[in-house]
Amino acid sequence: MKKRLTFLLAVYAATVAFMAVQKPVFLWFHASEAAAASAGDWWRVIAHGLSLDLTVAGYIAAIPWLLTLTSLWVPLREAVWRRVFDVYFVLIALFSAAVFAVDLALYGYWGFRIDGTILIYLADPREAMASVGLWEGVRQTAIFAAYAALMIWGYRRIVRRFSGERVCRRLPWTGVLAVLGGVLFVAIRGGLTVATANVSKVYFSADMFLNHAATNPLFSLLSTLGDNEDYATAYPFFDESERAARFEALRGDRSSGAGTVRLLRTPRPNVVLVLLESFGRTVMDAEVGGEAVMPNMQRFRREGVWFENFFANSFRTDRGEVAVMNGFPAQTRMSVMKLPAKSRTLPSIARSLGREGYATSFAYGGDLNFTNQASYMYATGWQNLTWQKDLHFDAPTSKWGYADDVMTEWFADEVLRLSERGRPFLAGLLTLSSHEPFDVPYAKFDDKVLNAMAFADECVGRMIDRWKASPAWRDMLVILVADHSYPYPYGIAYNTVLRHRIPMIWLGGALAGVPLVVDVYASQIDLAATLLAQMGVDHSDFAYSKDIFDPALPKFGYYTFNDGFGVVDAAGAAIWDCTSSAALEASNPALLDVGRTLLQTTYADIGNR
């Protein structure tokens, strides 16, 4: 039985090694892109890449584990079992080698690791092969053959370790193998944290080439095989010419020539973006026994620029982040953040300000691998990311990570440090304590949700008061905006306008003419163009984002839910459920076509990226 266990451990270890060796080969193959990489970078590529290598090894070892477990109870000759294993590993080797060889070649053309997109081209193999030159074909065939031969040779030596001898105590050894199966499951899942295995796990650098080099191509391919939905036809409300014509009237990147109200005292402030987890407007306005749940947000509302009619574009953090930071509308039943090859093509505030010489950094007290955030953020211009793995506070963590009291204190110091360096910066923070299970080191209200919200409000209030008391405040623009709302009062329908109303407040010494109340109807996607317009930075690549202060552009808030959309403006609202193809509300029926146009255009856009 010990030989069986040794066999399984050897299979797993060898597979990890076979996957890891791909990293230096990839760097060597793309030597021109890797020219600036140091020896330390090469080692970091291998080390960070191990996360997905371990996951892929878990998948590959799962069948041998199952066969080994079966061999305890099914009396077949040892030669038969070895033949079965040989066939399995030859197939694995051939498939792995094919993916590796094709990916090496495609990366030079695509600029990202192989994914489910390749299935589009395999639908017409003759056309795909027509693009392959003779030398390239010979070279990649040789790489395929060499890598497959290496894997087959290694696996065959390991199969010789397998013993099919009869085991006397089958039940105890079955239990041992069950435990080993649990370990494999953890490896496949990517660990025990809330974030499961995804390409974000291996991203570690602002240099996207190094992140790509660390990515396991097998994982990149297999994890995206279900992502080849025909997004462009998901919501066929209008024919293409009509859709395009309708969108022209809604787009934000067209020049109105009407100008914009200037709020900034300086065109190049230091920008601090604080994404407030679940800070719904209904929660912000709530009181318990006459006491405000969020007294600091109420105070800041009276001090800065307050956006009275502002809406979240979604009900999820990953989609809210994309709406805020990329000016890209939220989706209904998918998330573009989880499609790295597409999300990296989105315009972004971080990339736009990076071009203007800004240092960009983002912090989160939890795991930025969750929903692929890290890879998305590096790819869209955030140069430095700091999250739970980088922080070592002497403080307990919740399910999601470090609580807001610890993180806001650290982030307050970090912003002050950035202010002393003299280079303009964009610094972002995502809070997390106002998220279920709402366990916080605080006891103000009996209601668990409101208590957590009050805790987060207090932490943010202390952080901003520290900045206000420092010289850095003079050149600072702080933007407080929720990532999405929360269903409070309890039982509020998930698709209603009230469910998506959120606060947005601008604060800071860089502002002139405050306090100010802005009554314009807008949503998260409009923040990007509004901020960049205030700074005099080109925002023509943000097709959906409208400058809130441009009087000539349409004024409305737009959001999506599980399979529908809502649009609201000063004249009323329209809510459409796509599943039932029915209007749930239409106090302003004209907005139904606005929502249809935006939803169809969003998915068509994703399909074309």
Side-chain angles (χ1 to χ4, degrees):
M1 184 59 202
K2 291 182 180 179
K3 289 184 178 181
R4 284 182 170 91
L5 293 178
T6 303
F7 161 74
L8 287 175
L9 293 175
V11 166
Y12 187 78
T15 306
V16 172
F18 291 143
M19 298 297 113
V21 79
Q22 295 180 2
K23 312 300 184 295
V25 174
F26 180 89
L27 290 165
W28 168 81
F29 191 88
H30 296 285
S32 58
E33 290 91 339
S38 65
D41 289 330
W42 282 55
W43 282 113
R44 280 186 284 274
V45 164
I46 296 171
H48 285 273
L50 278 176
S51 173
L52 292 184
D53 293 342
L54 292 170
T55 292
V56 170
Y59 277 111
I60 290 175
I63 295 300
W65 168 81
L66 182 60
L67 292 173
T68 301
L69 179 61
T70 304
S71 73
L72 295 182
W73 298 91
V74 178
L76 295 178
R77 290 185 298 111
E78 187 175 279
V80 174
W81 285 116
R82 289 185 177 182
R83 179 62 60 85
V84 171
F85 284 123
D86 279 338
V87 171
Y88 172 75
F89 286 125
V90 165
L91 294 175
I92 289 294
L94 293 176
F95 180 69
S96 300
V99 171
F100 180 49
V102 171
D103 173 70
L104 279 178
L106 286 179
Y107 185 82
Y109 300 103
W110 288 3
F112 57 90
R113 301 307 292 264
I114 190 171
D115 62 14
T117 307
I118 195 172
L119 296 183
I120 298 172
Y121 304 100
L122 291 180
D124 190 346
R126 286 188 301 174
E127 184 175 333
M129 290 303 297
S131 301
V132 179
L134 177 60
W135 158 242
E136 189 175 30
V138 171
R139 181 191 63 193
Q140 299 313 117
T141 301
I143 292 172
F144 161 77
Y147 188 68
L150 173 66
M151 292 186 72
I152 292 171
W153 174 81
Y155 281 134
R156 280 189 171 175
R157 290 181 65 86
I158 293 170
V159 168
R160 293 176 190 169
R161 293 174 172 269
F162 180 81
S163 172
E165 63 185 6
R166 182 179 175 81
V167 177
C168 296
R169 296 190 300 167
R170 289 182 292 183
L171 279 176
W173 283 114
T174 297
V176 171
L177 285 175
V179 171
L180 186 57
V183 174
L184 280 179
F185 173 77
V186 171
I188 290 170
R189 188 183 182 279
L192 295 173
T193 64
V194 293
T196 55
N198 60 73
V199 295
S200 185
K201 290 241 179 195
V202 302
Y203 276 45
F204 69 98
S205 171
D207 184 341
M208 288 305 297
F209 173 74
L210 296 179
N211 295 329
H212 292 160
T215 302
N216 185 294
L218 266 178
F219 184 89
S220 180
L221 173 63
L222 297 176
S223 65
T224 56
L225 286 180
D227 296 334
N228 291 291
E229 178 182 337
D230 186 2
Y231 299 108
T233 62
Y235 294 101
F237 296 115
F238 310 106
D239 63 48
E240 177 55 25
S241 59
E242 184 179 0
R243 181 209 62 77
R246 288 178 176 275
F247 182 61
E248 281 302 312
L250 303 176
R251 60 189 310 137
D253 58 352
R254 57 193 173 91
S255 176
S256 71
T260 185
V261 176
R262 294 292 177 184
L263 301 179
L264 294 178
R265 192 175 45 77
T266 171
R268 289 294 184 272
N270 292 322
V271 181
V272 180
L273 175 63
V274 182
L275 285 166
L276 304 164
E277 172 66 53
S278 303
F279 268 39
R281 174 69 183 276
T282 54
V283 177
M284 176 181 161
D285 292 342
E287 294 184 351
V288 177
E291 185 175 5
V293 171
M294 293 186 175
N296 288 296
M297 290 293 287
Q298 296 288 358
R299 171 167 62 99
F300 297 147
R301 169 183 181 172
R302 296 188 294 269
E303 295 176 356
V305 180
W306 165 249
F307 295 80
E308 173 66 24
N309 297 301
F310 198 73
F311 296 85
N313 284 108
S314 180
F315 57 96
R316 292 286 303 270
T317 298
D318 53 325
R319 300 170 210 184
E321 283 181 327
V322 172
V324 168
M325 298 189 289
N326 303 88
F328 193 78
Q331 302 85 61
T332 53
R333 293 178 294 181
M334 52 84 66
S335 173
V336 72
M337 182 184 284
K338 298 179 181 179
L339 306 177
K342 295 181 182 292
S343 65
R344 70 185 184 90
T345 67
L346 297 175
S348 77
I349 294 174
R351 188 184 295 123
S352 293
L353 293 186
R355 296 190 192 109
E356 300 294 318
Y358 273 64
T360 60
S361 60
F362 194 89
Y364 177 55
D367 187 353
L368 275 183
N369 288 318
F370 191 66
T371 65
N372 222 48
Q373 289 178 81
S375 65
Y376 146 77
M377 298 189 82
Y378 274 132
T380 55
W382 292 93
Q383 298 155 5
N384 292 292
L385 303 181
T386 303
W387 71 94
Q388 188 175 0
K389 72 177 181 61
D390 306 304
L391 302 167
H392 305 285
F393 300 128
D394 184 18
T397 59
S398 68
K399 172 185 176 182
W400 293 102
Y402 288 111
D404 287 347
D405 55 345
V406 176
M407 278 306 300
T408 53
E409 182 178 355
W410 178 88
F411 188 66
D413 290 336
E414 179 66 13
V415 166
L416 294 178
R417 283 193 292 268
L418 290 170
S419 300
E420 294 172 355
R421 294 176 184 174
R423 180 183 176 186
F425 64 85
L426 166 66
L429 172 70
L430 172 62
T431 66
L432 61 72
S433 290
S434 44
H435 192 293
E436 61 84 26
F438 304 109
D439 293 328
V440 294
Y442 194 70
K444 186 175 183 179
F445 299 118
D446 292 334
D447 186 294
K448 194 173 185 179
V449 173
L450 297 185
N451 186 64
M453 298 288 184
F455 171 72
D457 172 80
E458 182 172 305
C459 296
V460 171
R462 284 200 305 266
M463 175 177 67
I464 292 177
D465 286 342
R466 282 193 59 195
W467 294 335
K468 290 170 68 174
S470 74
W473 186 251
R474 175 176 173 80
D475 297 315
M476 193 181 299
L477 170 62
V478 179
I479 299 175
L480 303 176
V481 60
D483 61 344
H484 55 79
S485 187
Y486 186 78
Y488 182 88
Y490 302 119
I492 186 172
Y494 69 97
N495 51 25
T496 62
V497 170
L498 189 61
R499 170 69 171 82
H500 290 82
R501 198 171 191 178
I502 60 171
M504 183 166 78
I505 305 173
W506 289 17
L507 300 165
L511 287 168
V514 290
L516 175 68
V517 176
V518 180
D519 291 319
V520 170
Y521 280 76
S523 59
Q524 289 169 325
I525 54 174
D526 300 319
L527 170 58
T530 304
L531 171 63
L532 296 176
Q534 287 294 314
M535 299 175 67
V537 176
D538 177 62
H539 55 90
S540 59
D541 50 345
F542 292 83
Y544 305 88
S545 188
K546 306 179 299 298
D547 178 3
I548 293 172
F549 297 106
D550 188 329
L553 296 179
K555 311 299 181 187
F556 59 83
Y558 168 76
Y559 63 85
T560 63
F561 46 89
N562 186 50
D563 194 24
F565 63 79
V567 189
V568 56
D569 66 7
I575 303 173
W576 181 263
D577 180 72
C578 297
T579 302
S580 60
S581 296
L584 306 179
E585 179 183 341
S587 53
N588 183 358
L591 295 178
L592 288 172
D593 279 347
V594 171
R596 291 184 183 113
T597 302
L598 285 175
L599 184 57
Q600 183 177 356
T601 301
T602 300
Y603 274 76
D605 190 347
I606 292 172
N608 292 328
R609 288 182 182 272

